[in-house]
Amino acid sequence: PDMVLVRDVMGHMSPKDNLAFLANLAKAAPRLLFAKTFIRAETTLDYPLAFGHPLNLFRPPYCAADPLELHRDDFFDAFMGLWKVAARSESGAFATSVDGASEPE
């Protein structure tokens, strides 16, 4: 696929499940990922999955690079980021790259 859209599902999964999801996503080899992130949220592991939590893709264990684009979403701190997907890193963390020469078409 050219792009994968992930808006609210990752906030309802554990970090372990999210990392597995991202690893499987990397196997599908999309060119772009358009995903929800909360840019000011602290990463927490203590939350009820059914209620969800504000997931910050810039903090560990995800450590996303700066996105190509960032668009405000439905909450104060919620944004949709557009990332170019790179190969999965050895650590299993969220692997993205920003290359000015390869912006979305």
Side-chain angles (χ1 to χ4, degrees):
D2 284 338
M3 181 172 72
V4 172
L5 169 67
V6 180
R7 185 160 181 248
D8 288 322
V9 70
M10 290 178 69
H12 294 279
M13 298 189 323
S14 69
K16 180 181 175 184
D17 289 339
N18 282 330
L19 290 174
F21 167 75
L22 292 169
N24 285 327
L25 179 74
K27 291 177 188 174
R31 209 168 55 87
L32 300 167
L33 172 65
F34 194 47
K36 186 173 193 169
T37 186
F38 290 80
I39 61 172
R40 292 177 187 90
E42 296 294 327
T43 301
T44 178
L45 302 179
D46 186 22
Y47 57 88
L49 292 177
F51 296 128
H53 68 289
L55 180 72
N56 188 338
L57 292 175
F58 299 106
R59 295 199 180 268
Y62 312 105
C63 302
D66 290 341
L68 299 171
E69 297 178 15
L70 199 58
H71 303 274
R72 186 171 297 283
D73 197 23
D74 55 353
F75 295 108
F76 165 74
D77 189 34
F79 290 82
M80 293 295 294
L82 180 66
W83 285 273
K84 178 183 172 197
V85 177
R88 186 171 171 258
S89 70
E90 290 180 18
S91 68
F94 185 43
T96 62
S97 66
V98 176
D99 177 357
S102 56
E103 293 185 12
E105 298 172 0

